[in-house]
Amino acid sequence: MADHNDRTPNIPGQRQEHLAAQHDQAPNVPSLPPQPAAGAKEPRLAALRMAWADAWDDGGFLHDRWEDLRQAPTLGWHGMATWVKSALGLAGICFVILLLDAATDVLAHDLRRLLTAVPRVQVSEDTSTGVFAVVDQPIRSYIAAHCASLQISASTVYTLWQIVGLFGLVGGFFRSSGARLTWTAWGAASIAMVYSSAPADGRTIATGLAVLAWTATSAFALRGLTLRPTFFTHIHNAGHQIEPHIHLPAPPVDHTPDNVHPLQKR
């Protein structure tokens, strides 16, 4: 028979020791936040669907904007909505800026090639022939002699000189006042350079030929320009004069003869 009075302590097993260890460490483990229920997202989605549907209903924001876009071709520029005009104008400005940016790069590259296309101008270098050399060679020599201290080459200055002269000639032909002033200053400066750089024994001939060449080409650049004074005759037309008068009607004249009397009853 088993002794019920046996007080031998009960030794816990491995499972009981593991549970006891978890129980001792449980207070030190942080508790995880409660996870939201899966159905909590459904009200948010439903609210977004409702807001989207309201925006596309009659009178909604998106519906009105779509109507503005749809009616813009029919209404024309003056009748379309203001925000459509602003969007189109902004898009046009951006497009023009992109075109100008690309065009600026191309023009700068072409201008750089144009300015460097002319060979280097050296003093006493004769690259022109005939009568043109009498005028061109002193100008090239003058430019080459006075460009040593500049940041640009003599060939660049000579090319710019030719471009300015061509602008004055063409613009003056089309009767542009600014181009004609440019042509006049360009011709005077060219004559001065020829007089300064031409050889001493032929300076008068070179300067005279420069003056004659510039005068002959001025017939095209200054066409239509006359030195005769213009008289303006102003004809004064007197305006209509209004004089107030008071006209009084004359009293009526009785043309009944005196011997005619009305019948009277007695």
Side-chain angles (χ1 to χ4, degrees), residues 126-180:
D126 190 3
T127 58
S128 56
T129 58
V131 181
F132 181 69
V134 179
V135 180
D136 181 64
Q137 179 60 29
I139 294 177
R140 293 168 66 91
S141 301
Y142 184 91
I143 292 175
H146 292 80
C147 289
S149 59
L150 299 179
Q151 300 297 327
I152 57 178
S153 62
S155 62
T156 303
V157 176
Y158 182 73
T159 305
L160 291 176
W161 186 259
Q162 291 178 327
I163 292 175
V164 171
L166 184 61
F167 164 76
L169 180 62
V170 176
F173 181 79
F174 290 101
R175 299 184 179 183
S176 173
S177 300
R180 288 179 173 179

Side-chain angles (χ1 to χ4, degrees), residues 41 46 64 105 108 154 212-213:
K41 296 181 179 180
D64 293 343
D105 296 339
L212 291 177

Side-chain angles (χ1 to χ4, degrees), residues 153-224:
S153 62
S155 62
T156 303
V157 176
Y158 182 73
T159 305
L160 291 176
W161 186 259
Q162 291 178 327
I163 292 175
V164 171
L166 184 61
F167 164 76
L169 180 62
V170 176
F173 181 79
F174 290 101
R175 299 184 179 183
S176 173
S177 300
R180 288 179 173 179
L181 292 176
T182 303
W183 173 256
T184 304
W186 183 85
S190 299
I191 295 172
M193 287 191 293
V194 171
Y195 180 82
S196 177
S197 299
D201 54 351
R203 179 172 299 170
T204 305
I205 300 299
T207 305
L209 289 177
V211 172
L212 291 177
W214 178 74
T215 306
T217 51
S218 296
F220 296 94
L222 305 179
R223 71 183 186 94

